[in-house]
Amino acid sequence: CPSGYTDADLENLQNCWLGSEEAPLADLKTESQEVRDMLALWIKNQVWKYGVDGLRIDAAINVPSEFFTSFMEAAGVFATSEVYTRHEDLACEYSETIGSILNYPLYWPMTEAFQAEQGSMQALADMVAAIAKGCKDPTVLGTFSEVCRHENNRRKG
């Protein structure tokens, strides 16, 4: 099944293939202990062979969070990951097994808070509080923002 790319259906994200129906990306059977052991050995060797001192893991939400416990132990280095979700409880789960993640739960309320008409500082404050309550160590979540310019806000020159 193709992945729907939405955190509304975690089952789909973790069990369906990324990519498209024409060119799907292979799904490694990470629920298999044999596959987990093989990937742990692989990352341990990569870190040793190339002197890696940190990892950036893409699309971690597409793999069950418990996979990363033994994977990170084998890697033995710092890692951060993209866990593309608005749900702070799910993000906190991944931050505990990986060590650090990008703070997507804060990203949307932060960018929305500064939008003129629909922005809500209260929604931003609520998410900060939810993350502080739900994550064991919210300081390991990487906060980021983007600037979005609208045509009518650009200076004419």
Side-chain angles (χ1 to χ4, degrees):
C1 58
S3 176
Y5 295 102
T6 172
D7 66 354
D9 186 356
L10 188 59
E11 182 76 20
N12 175 275
L13 276 175
Q14 293 182 346
N15 295 309
C16 295
W17 288 25
L18 293 173
S20 65
E21 289 188 37
E22 295 80 26
L25 301 174
D27 182 20
L28 300 177
K29 192 174 182 181
T30 55
E31 55 276 317
S32 160
Q33 190 59 49
E34 182 179 7
V35 171
R36 287 178 184 219
D37 292 346
M38 196 178 324
L39 289 170
L41 180 60
W42 173 81
I43 196 60
K44 184 176 183 174
N45 287 333
Q46 296 304 302
V47 167
W48 174 81
K49 183 177 182 178
Y50 297 106
V52 173
D53 58 5
L55 301 171
R56 196 267 190 203
I57 301 168
D58 190 36
I61 198 168
N62 298 102
V63 178
S65 63
E66 65 272 4
F67 163 81
F68 292 103
T69 302
S70 60
F71 184 80
M72 292 311 309
E73 186 177 301
V77 295
F78 170 82
T80 192
S81 181
E82 172 194 73
V83 179
Y84 193 75
T85 182
R86 281 183 174 258
H87 304 286
E88 76 284 351
D89 54 340
L90 185 57
C92 291
E93 185 180 314
Y94 279 87
S95 73
E96 291 171 22
T97 60
I98 293 171
S100 173
I101 63 166
L102 297 175
N103 197 343
Y104 275 102
L106 188 62
Y107 169 75
W108 285 288
M110 186 185 329
T111 55
E112 291 165 358
F114 295 99
Q115 293 176 355
E117 294 176 19
Q118 66 268 29
S120 169
M121 288 294 180
Q122 187 60 54
L124 175 58
D126 291 346
M127 182 55 76
V128 169
I131 291 168
K133 182 180 177 187
C135 291
K136 287 183 181 174
D137 185 1
T139 66
V140 300
L141 280 65
T143 304
F144 62 99
S145 62
E146 295 177 344
V147 175
C148 179
R149 294 184 186 195
H150 298 285
E151 190 60 40
N152 60 353
N153 291 338
R154 290 190 182 168
R155 292 177 64 181
K156 308 268 187 210

